[in-house]
Structures are given as structure tokens and as C-alpha cells.
Amino acid sequence: MSTLVAETNFKNEEVKKSLSPTRAGLDSLPKSLVNGNANKDNADKPPKLKIFIGYDPREDIAYEVCRYSLLKRSSIPVEITPIKQSELRGKGLYWRERGKLESTEFSFSRFLTPHLADYEGWAMFVDCDFLYLGDIKELTDLIDDRFAIMCVQHDYAPKETTKMDGAVQTVYPRKNWSSMVLYNCSHPKNGILTPEVVNTESGAFLHRFQWLEDDEIGEIPFVWNFLVGHNRVVEGDSSTFPKAIHYTLGGPWFEAWKDCEFGDLWLKELEEYKKAKEKKVDS
């Protein structure tokens, strides 16, 4: 099997990353982690990017690796918080019953992101089944205040009937658009996303962004939500090399997907995460 090598510029050095086309937490750690280079003078510190990662207990390790990959490569300050349904219910922010077609605990709670960010600045939501290969600063450089949200606008209609650990696969317009979203939290239209609306509106209204006009949705290059099994790397074309791999059908943390495309990259990141965890415990 051939190996594609993507050359990326990281910390002013040309680093070669092997992209092989082959494809649950630390209770002692705080729920939010801050990373990045900050100046000593608090007044000169750049604002932290708030990142909310969807959390499901059966995918705890996927969350940990996603968080680790973000922090490892980020050159800007970021604050990472898991969206845990149990905590949201305890705070009275989430009360809707789980539907049969909801494959994760954060199928709808993800849309609380602007509320959790106090409707201020920009914040990102991302599913836990992502692996980041690029610096999140490159993504924030694409932010355009004209838009209420920005996302990868996939044309995705999966043929599989199940995914992950046997969850039902569903097909609908704008599928996977909501799996990674940059929210302009202070945009007037996003004020609509109150806990009441998130708990009562339909899946179509939320996942298709029906509270927005089409021209209020900005587009991000697909490499920031590279769907395993759908998107393709073109050898010699760096614009197709993934910056964030999305194991949307299931990742190596599920037995059925242990040999999935790009699975070797996730497993390598898992080993690095484990070593970093052990080192932190020993120190």
C-alpha cells in the first residue's frame, strides 16, 4: 500500500507527516485546558479561542486524543471544554429525551455552544472523533465576521446503514456540516440558540441551520473536516492534505473500525497521549 507524504510548515520547519491511506479520561485533570503562547503582560494576551468538544462516555478515549491533538499543535491560546450531557442536565440546560436516531449524547447539545460561550466572540464546536494534524491558528485565520457560522459544506450521502458501534446511519441535507462549526457567538442570529430552542426544535431546524440564511453561513476548506471514506488525498496536491481528520463512520477505538483508513495516525497519537499522561503523573 502506498504512502502519501504531506509536507507542512510547523514552527518554521518543513516537517514530513506520513499520511497512510488506511483508516473511554483523566479524572484528575481539569475540564478545561489552556494552551498556547501568551505574553507576560496580561493586557497583551490574545483572546483564548473557546473550543467545545462533543463528549460521549463510550468514546472517552476519542475525546482525549482529539483534545491532545489540538493542544499539541496549537500556537494560540485555546480553552477546551467537553460538552457532557450529564453536566448540562444537572445545570438545567438540557432536558430533551434522547431519540432513537441520535448516535451520540451530543447530537443536539452541540447547539448550546453560543450559550456556553456567553454569546461572545468566536467559539468552535467539534465532534470528539476528530484528529487534528494542523495548527488551529490556521483555521482561525479564516474567520470572517460577516458570517454567523462557518463550516465545511460537505455534499455527503453515506451508503452505509450503520456506523460506529452499530448506530443507525442517517442521511439528510447538509449532513456533517454541524460536526465542526465556528460560531460567531455575538451574531444576532445566534441569539436564537437558547436552551429552550435547543431542547425543543427539530433535528432539521438545528442540523440544517434553518435559523440562518444561506449567505450567513461561511465556507471552510474541506481539509478541516476531512471525512474518512469520503474525501480523498491527491498526491502532490497539498491543498487536499487533511488538517483535521474526521472518523465519521467510526474510529480505531471501536473494534469494527480498528483497521480504518488513517487509523494508523490516530493510534500513533493515542500512544503519544498515553506517554504524556504517564509523564504528567510521574512529575
Side-chain angles (χ1 to χ4, degrees), residues 24 31 37 56 69 73 75 89 94 129 132 144 155 168-170 180 209 226 229 252 256 263 268 271 273 277:
K31 297 173 184 176
N37 299 322
D56 192 298
S69 69
R73 295 170 176 86
S75 64
R89 289 186 183 278
Y94 194 76
D129 55 354
Y132 278 84
D144 188 330
D155 181 11
V168 176
Q169 178 67 279
T170 56
M180 193 283 291
F209 308 132
F226 189 101
K268 180 181 179 182
E271 290 307 311
Y273 158 72
K277 175 183 173 180

Side-chain angles (χ1 to χ4, degrees), residues 4-178:
L4 302 179
V5 178
E7 292 189 358
T8 58
N9 195 329
F10 183 71
K11 292 185 178 180
N12 300 320
E13 295 183 6
E14 288 297 318
V15 180
K16 291 188 176 181
K17 296 182 182 286
S18 174
L19 299 181
S20 176
T22 57
R23 178 118 160 150
L26 289 176
D27 293 334
S28 60
L29 290 181
K31 297 173 184 176
S32 299
L33 290 179
V34 176
N35 186 50
N37 299 322
N39 296 323
K40 293 181 180 180
D41 186 351
N42 289 338
D44 295 333
K45 287 184 179 180
K48 293 177 292 185
L49 174 67
K50 293 183 179 180
I51 300 176
F52 297 89
I53 302 178
Y55 181 88
D56 192 298
R58 75 187 199 284
E59 294 187 273
D60 176 81
I61 194 60
Y63 163 78
E64 294 291 355
V65 172
C66 177
R67 181 183 66 170
Y68 176 79
S69 69
L70 274 163
L71 291 170
K72 172 184 171 182
R73 295 170 176 86
S74 180
S75 64
I76 61 173
V78 297
E79 180 181 311
I80 298 178
T81 304
I83 290 186
K84 293 187 175 183
Q85 188 181 124
S86 59
E87 293 181 357
L88 295 175
R89 289 186 183 278
K91 295 176 181 178
L93 296 176
Y94 194 76
W95 58 87
R96 73 185 294 160
E97 293 183 7
R98 182 167 179 173
K100 294 181 179 179
L101 297 180
E102 294 178 41
S103 59
T104 66
E105 286 196 358
F106 51 87
S107 292
F108 288 105
S109 58
R110 70 184 69 212
F111 297 103
L112 288 170
T113 293
H115 179 83
L116 296 174
D118 298 320
Y119 300 101
E120 295 179 352
W122 283 82
M124 185 177 83
F125 170 83
V126 63
D127 286 1
C128 64
D129 55 354
F130 272 64
L131 174 66
Y132 278 84
L133 303 179
D135 184 349
I136 201 68
K137 180 183 183 301
E138 297 176 35
L139 179 59
T140 61
D141 287 344
L142 302 176
I143 285 177
D144 188 330
D145 289 330
R146 293 178 301 165
F147 300 113
I149 67 169
M150 299 182 72
C151 65
V152 176
Q153 299 181 11
H154 290 294
D155 181 11
Y156 179 58
K159 298 178 181 178
E160 297 83 4
T161 57
T162 61
K163 62 180 180 178
M164 300 161 65
D165 55 352
V168 176
Q169 178 67 279
T170 56
V171 180
Y172 52 85
R174 295 183 171 178
K175 184 173 178 64
N176 260 315
W177 287 29
S178 63

Side-chain angles (χ1 to χ4, degrees), residues 218-247:
E219 187 166 8
I220 293 170
F222 78 92
V223 293
W224 287 103
N225 189 347
F226 189 101
L227 300 180
V228 173
H230 175 70
N231 294 125
R232 292 286 179 262
V233 174
V234 178
E235 190 168 7
D237 183 355
S238 61
S239 68
T240 68
F241 295 150
K243 295 181 181 294
I245 297 175
H246 185 186
Y247 301 89

